[in-house]
Amino acid sequence: MQIKDVKTAVVGASGYAGAELVELLTRHQSINSIELLVSESSQVLGQCFSDVFPRWKGVCDTAFQAVNSDWINQHAAELDVVFLATPHAASVKLVKEFTEHEVIIFDLSGGFRLKQPELYDEYYGFTHQLPEVLQQAVYGSPEWEAESLKDTNLIAVPGCYPTASLLGLKPITSNHLHDESSLITVNGISGVSGAGRQANLATSFNEVSLTPYNILKHRHQPEMSQAVQADVIFNPHLAPFKRGLLATTTLKIKEGVAAADIDAVYKNAYQSQPLIRFQKDWPKIDNVTGTPFADIHWQFDEKQRVLVVSCAIDNLMKGAASQAVQCLNLRLGLSSEFGLLSNVEVNHND
């Protein structure tokens, strides 16, 4: 595979995250071709991408094709990379089929994020059919797993809530500055696009009010706990706006840790990461919407030993599509931000 001649496919290209991914890949200098795949029952089958998403007229006018075993057997060998923006159980089946053709797979679902197969029964509602493959998948956090991403063929792209939460948490937990006897609490707020593109009364703008949901049983809770190797309590909230996500984390810090120590671990972790921005005040969702950035701010009360850190991202970009592209870049040996900064539309508020 030549770095400037990558042939790829996006399965689930008609969804919100899939569509964002298609736009990014279309403009990516290393991508030679993109196949757009949807389920055989999809209402957009046969239509052009730009007919479904007129904003991208002239950017991508490719037609949607149906993904099935016949298509995979006929065309997968021609691909270098496939992105799965599909439901969790569907991803498991597709990974099994694409793996037979030695394609590099980037899975945006939760199908391969967790290492314990029994957690899928509890949190995802299905029994995982490839438990042995869970151990092979690399958790695709570009800022924390860059080296591991360079030599793997199955990347589990993190969820949107875990991405924002872990960017705030990992500098602390990886340096063992937290009080391991206390709980870590994450309060997350996301716009309605996080629920997907299918019509649903619960996520209709006329129905949505700021509401907590899936408390103590959200599927991202074990993902967070696994990533930081600590107990995390996650409180997700749905808010009446289109896109964007804010995660605010509260945790106890060990005795003897000073504010300067906290500042140092964040700077050491992210000072060379151009997509991570430190803010002088609490981050705002509007400032990251439509961009690949993560905005972070923290405050530490030395007297109470309490740290509060907030991270804002676009759930469809840094929480899905642009993070998948970061993973692709690292797998290709490029800088993680390659092809992302030049296309940033800071004032884009779709």
Side-chain angles (χ1 to χ4, degrees):
M1 175 176 58
Q2 299 295 318
I3 288 180
K4 292 189 177 181
D5 190 30
V6 178
K7 297 177 177 62
T8 187
V10 176
V11 186
S14 64
Y16 287 138
E20 293 287 344
L21 182 57
V22 169
E23 181 191 18
L24 294 174
L25 294 175
T26 299
R27 297 177 176 179
H28 196 288
Q29 295 177 358
S30 292
I31 302 301
N32 176 280
S33 63
I34 311 172
E35 303 289 346
L36 306 187
L37 304 175
V38 293
S39 70
E40 294 178 292
S41 61
S42 174
Q43 295 180 348
V44 305
L45 188 62
Q47 297 183 48
C48 290
F49 183 82
S50 56
D51 290 334
V52 179
F53 300 100
R55 173 183 163 195
W56 288 304
K57 188 75 173 178
V59 177
C60 181
D61 300 314
T62 305
F64 293 106
Q65 303 176 65
V67 63
N68 51 39
S69 295
D70 288 341
W71 192 97
I72 293 172
N73 289 331
Q74 291 178 28
H75 300 285
E78 304 166 4
L79 300 174
D80 300 303
V81 168
V82 62
F83 293 88
L84 305 179
T86 47
H88 317 292
S91 283
V92 176
K93 180 178 183 294
L94 289 166
V95 163
K96 182 178 182 180
E97 295 191 68
F98 276 108
T99 298
E100 295 175 0
H101 298 274
E102 300 183 355
V103 180
I104 302 172
I105 303 167
F106 298 85
D107 181 23
L108 280 72
S109 84
F112 292 88
R113 294 176 189 154
L114 303 178
K115 297 302 182 184
Q116 297 175 263
E118 62 272 17
L119 291 176
Y120 283 91
D121 292 283
E122 181 178 356
Y123 286 94
Y124 284 84
F126 70 91
T127 299
H128 206 287
Q129 299 302 306
L130 299 174
E132 70 284 355
V133 180
L134 292 176
Q135 304 306 317
Q136 302 170 18
V138 170
Y139 192 66
S141 175
E143 291 76 22
W144 292 95
E145 301 292 342
E147 289 304 313
S148 298
L149 287 168
K150 293 177 181 179
D151 189 28
T152 183
N153 285 344
L154 177 56
I155 295 91
V157 181
C160 53
Y161 278 126
T163 293
S165 305
L166 299 177
L167 287 173
L169 264 175
K170 286 281 282 185
I172 302 300
T173 57
S174 64
N175 287 282
H176 306 288
L177 299 186
H178 60 297
D179 182 343
E180 297 178 6
S181 66
S182 64
L183 286 173
I184 298 169
T185 301
V186 176
N187 292 314
I189 301 175
S190 179
V192 295
S193 59
R197 193 163 180 255
Q198 294 297 322
N200 188 319
L201 184 63
T203 55
S204 166
F205 257 62
N206 290 332
E207 303 293 333
V208 171
S209 179
L210 180 59
T211 310
Y213 68 100
N214 286 351
I215 300 298
L216 298 180
K217 58 182 181 180
H218 195 283
R219 59 176 60 105
H220 285 161
Q221 182 166 297
E223 184 179 339
M224 295 176 190
S225 296
Q226 174 183 275
V228 298
Q229 295 294 293
D231 290 331
V232 175
I233 297 299
F234 175 47
N235 301 316
H237 298 71
L238 179 65
F241 51 84
K242 284 187 179 181
R243 56 194 291 173
L245 183 152
L246 181 72
T248 298
T249 302
T250 305
L251 68 160
K252 199 86 168 178
I253 300 298
K254 286 180 177 178
E255 291 187 17
V257 177
D261 300 320
I262 302 293
D263 294 346
V265 295
Y266 279 106
K267 291 175 182 176
N268 289 338
Y270 299 134
Q271 61 187 353
S272 63
Q273 300 287 345
L275 298 182
I276 308 297
R277 305 189 299 193
F278 296 149
Q279 299 295 340
K280 295 180 180 179
D281 209 337
W282 299 108
K284 297 180 180 180
I285 286 175
D286 280 354
N287 293 338
V288 294
T289 301
T291 82
F293 294 117
D295 285 359
I296 298 177
H297 178 75
W298 64 91
Q299 289 189 12
F300 179 47
D301 186 325
E302 289 192 54
K303 184 176 181 180
Q304 299 188 73
R305 294 189 291 116
V306 172
L307 173 69
V308 179
V309 54
S310 283
C311 178
I313 63 171
D314 185 320
N315 57 299
L316 299 179
M317 288 286 282
K318 181 59 177 167
S322 66
Q323 178 142 269
V325 172
Q326 284 186 268
C327 293
L328 169 69
N329 287 335
L330 291 169
R331 181 62 178 81
L332 295 177
L334 302 168
S335 63
S336 72
E337 72 278 7
F338 182 85
L340 293 173
L341 293 179
S342 60
N343 296 321
V344 169
E345 299 175 62
V346 175
N347 295 318
H348 169 61
N349 284 302
D350 281 3

